[in-house]
Amino acid sequence: MTIRLTNSKTREKEVFAPIDPENVRMYVCGPTVYDRAHLGNARPVLVFDVLYRLLRETYGADHVTYVRNFTDVDDRINETARKRKEAGAEGTLEQLIAERSEETIAWYHEDMDALGAMRPDHEPRATAYIGEMIAMIEKLIEQGHAYAAEGHALFSVDSFNEYGALSGRSVDDMIAGARVEVAPYKKNPMDFVLWKPSSDDLPGWDSPWGRGRPGWHIECSAMSEALLGVEFDIHGGGNDLMFPHHENEIAQSCCVNPGTDFAKTWLHNEMLQVEGKKMSKSLGNFFTVHDLLEQGVPGEVIRFVMLSTHYRKPMDWTEKKRAEAEATLRKWRAMTADVAAGAIPEDVIAAVSDDLNTAGALTVLHRLASHGDAAGLKAGAQFIGLLTDELGGWIAPAADLSAWENKLATARETAMQTKDFSQVDALKTMLLDAGVEVRMSKAGVELIAGAGFDAAKLVDVD
């Protein structure tokens, strides 16, 4: 099936044609490992997880390579480690930085696994590719695209005529709209750091410009080239990375390898909101994936909510969406519990192939469920990472609540005659406290055990 993707660089939806169908390659910018992943960090992980699944289905699992890096050398990691040392932690600052990176990477894997995200084929750490970064910087300096100054190496933006093509901004616009670091050693305020000095207590490596560490942008250029080659098919990330990070990656990589395009297709997901507002600590609506998991929100529910909005639209996390997603997944899992998955429905593949329209794919799944096609529902859902065995642990074995349904129905019938609803209210309160969802309609009473169901709390009430 033809795949169409919206290329951020051309601003058009294009037919995806890989450089080599036998070797489809994708690079996605990963996290800086200084703390837990917040909910917004999970969005690109799930967006590109769905794309990875689509590419594997289309070209074969053995013909797709997915790379997502870990930035494990960064000022924020250093600051976190410094605070630990000041609080009395043992070890050198460099040891504490390494410990923090290892700890945070383990957290990241744990949280993203809980969302059903497949691990990439390669997860390179920046610190393992310092030699490649130094070699790339040396070549840029030799070519006249970079220069050394006061222990720094900087990229000369003026040397790359296409700078700004990805974000669609002129250099003057970028200077006006960005927080540009002004430094006396820069020839142009927009020139960005490729290498910078390190103090003795911080991580550092010997280089032609002195002991130091790489700038952020050069890391991804070096790692992607080492693992995917000088040109590859897809580069992705959140749209907050378009400028300056991705713009700078293009400049470095295209200059160091003249005549190449670096990445053919650029994909960027929109940002996440919470209850209609930007997520921020000042608004009190900032939380991590781990926070939600600890609160009892299943990873599969988080995944469902994320996929319910197209990746190029802002994703609004709301309590209503969470509750609706949980209710839908409970129904689907009950419907498909003893059913083998059939063939993946073509309508589901078609939706995902049309610019990763996961919201459209979910619409198809709802239709399959309404038609009673359990085998198609299961196959289509598993194609986008839902209803998998790995994510099913949050569903408790079905509880037999028929006796309580009868009691509540009888109490309601009596109350309709006596106009005394105290018994009904008492039963509902007890059931809700036990983690039971209570549904009453003209058709009767339906009770559904929730994720936190506790049978011990079901006691007769007067």
Side-chain angles (χ1 to χ4, degrees):
M1 191 169 290
T2 300
I3 298 173
R4 291 178 172 82
L5 301 171
T6 297
N7 188 345
S8 301
K9 194 166 186 179
T10 62
R11 295 161 186 78
E12 293 181 357
K13 188 188 290 189
E14 302 172 345
V15 172
F16 174 66
I19 298 168
D20 177 3
E22 297 294 311
N23 183 22
V24 183
R25 290 156 287 165
M26 176 170 70
Y27 186 94
V28 175
C29 291
T32 300
V33 288
Y34 67 97
D35 207 347
R36 287 272 188 186
H38 62 69
L39 189 59
N41 297 143
R43 193 173 194 200
V45 172
L46 295 182
V47 166
F48 292 102
D49 178 65
V50 171
L51 178 54
Y52 184 40
R53 292 167 186 266
L54 173 64
L55 295 173
R56 287 164 62 92
E57 177 67 24
T58 304
Y59 297 98
D62 294 338
H63 302 295
V64 179
T65 303
Y66 174 21
V67 177
R68 186 183 65 219
N69 72 294
F70 285 116
T71 294
D72 60 345
V73 52
D74 182 85
D75 291 339
R76 288 169 292 184
I77 304 172
N78 298 345
E79 182 59 27
T80 302
R82 194 187 300 279
K83 288 179 179 178
R84 283 190 170 187
K85 187 167 182 63
E86 291 172 353
E90 295 182 0
T92 65
L93 188 59
E94 191 161 358
Q95 289 171 333
L96 293 174
I97 288 168
E99 288 175 11
R100 181 61 170 181
S101 296
E102 291 296 330
E103 178 182 51
T104 309
I105 289 171
W107 288 344
Y108 187 82
H109 278 146
E110 179 184 312
D111 293 343
M112 298 308 119
D113 288 351
L115 304 184
M118 297 175 66
R119 298 275 183 97
D121 298 290
H122 301 282
E123 294 183 288
R125 301 186 186 195
T127 51
Y129 290 81
I130 300 296
E132 287 84 347
M133 295 175 205
I134 290 174
M136 187 173 281
I137 296 168
E138 286 184 303
K139 191 172 179 182
L140 285 168
I141 291 175
E142 289 172 8
Q143 295 169 324
H145 292 296
Y147 57 94
E150 299 183 22
H152 295 74
L154 299 109
F155 183 87
S156 177
V157 169
D158 290 337
S159 73
F160 184 55
N161 293 332
E162 295 179 31
Y163 192 80
L166 179 66
S167 57
R169 309 186 215 179
S170 69
V171 172
D172 288 341
D173 288 340
M174 291 184 225
I175 292 175
R179 287 177 289 182
V180 176
E181 180 189 358
V182 178
Y185 48 79
K186 284 188 175 185
K187 295 179 180 178
N188 180 321
M190 285 301 297
D191 292 350
F192 56 88
V193 171
L194 302 171
W195 189 267
K196 57 185 175 181
S198 277
S199 58
D200 291 340
D201 58 339
L202 292 176
W205 294 264
D206 292 332
S207 80
W209 319 285
R211 185 178 182 278
R213 58 190 192 274
W216 175 31
H217 315 299
I218 197 69
E219 296 174 12
C220 288
S221 285
M223 288 186 282
S224 63
E225 180 174 328
L227 293 167
L228 298 177
V230 298
E231 284 187 310
F232 53 93
D233 299 294
I234 297 170
H235 195 314
N239 67 357
D240 57 326
L241 298 180
M242 189 179 294
F243 176 81
H245 186 50
H246 290 165
E247 199 77 75
N248 292 352
E249 279 188 71
I250 291 172
Q252 298 161 164
S253 295
C254 289
C255 286
V256 84
N257 296 300
T260 63
D261 289 331
F262 183 37
K264 293 288 189 180
T265 301
W266 287 84
L267 295 184
H268 292 92
N269 63 272
E270 258 287 358
M271 295 295 99
L272 177 134
Q273 300 173 333
V274 176
E275 301 291 348
K277 297 180 180 179
K278 182 179 179 180
M279 187 168 70
S280 70
K281 291 180 180 178
S282 61
L283 292 176
N285 65 352
F286 180 94
F287 45 86
T288 66
V289 173
H290 182 70
D291 291 335
L292 285 180
L293 296 171
E294 286 290 289
Q295 291 165 18
V297 180
E300 186 173 35
V301 170
I302 298 172
R303 184 183 185 95
F304 188 106
V305 174
M306 289 278 193
L307 299 186
S308 66
T309 300
H310 193 277
Y311 78 95
R312 290 192 298 110
K313 295 181 179 179
M315 214 303 293
D316 191 16
W317 175 273
T318 67
E319 177 57 26
K320 180 181 179 183
K321 287 182 181 178
R322 183 212 60 76
E324 290 174 347
E326 181 172 330
T328 296
L329 286 168
R330 285 186 181 281
K331 291 177 185 175
W332 288 1
R333 281 199 171 271
M335 181 179 176
T336 60
D338 300 315
V339 177
I344 303 171
E346 287 192 6
D347 285 355
V348 174
I349 299 177
V352 179
S353 297
D354 183 15
D355 201 22
L356 304 183
N357 186 4
T358 52
L362 289 173
T363 298
V364 175
L365 296 180
H366 279 292
R367 185 171 70 244
L368 293 171
S370 68
H371 292 168
D373 184 355
L377 170 63
K378 191 168 191 175
Q382 289 183 343
F383 175 58
I384 59 172
L386 299 169
L387 302 189
T388 62
D389 292 342
E390 293 81 4
L391 292 185
W394 65 280
I395 298 287
D400 184 2
L401 298 172
S402 57
W404 291 102
E405 286 178 347
N406 293 334
K407 285 184 181 182
L408 185 54
T410 300
R412 187 172 69 154
E413 287 176 11
T414 301
M416 294 295 287
Q417 297 173 3
T418 64
K419 307 303 179 186
D420 179 5
F421 286 85
S422 58
Q423 178 73 1
V424 173
D425 292 340
L427 280 167
K428 283 180 63 179
T429 299
M430 179 270 296
L431 288 163
L432 291 170
D433 186 55
V436 178
E437 182 182 349
V438 180
R439 299 178 181 177
M440 293 194 294
S441 65
K442 291 181 179 179
V445 173
E446 182 182 10
L447 302 179
I448 302 172
F453 173 63
D454 184 356
K457 292 184 178 181
L458 295 179
V459 296
D460 284 314
V461 293
D462 296 327

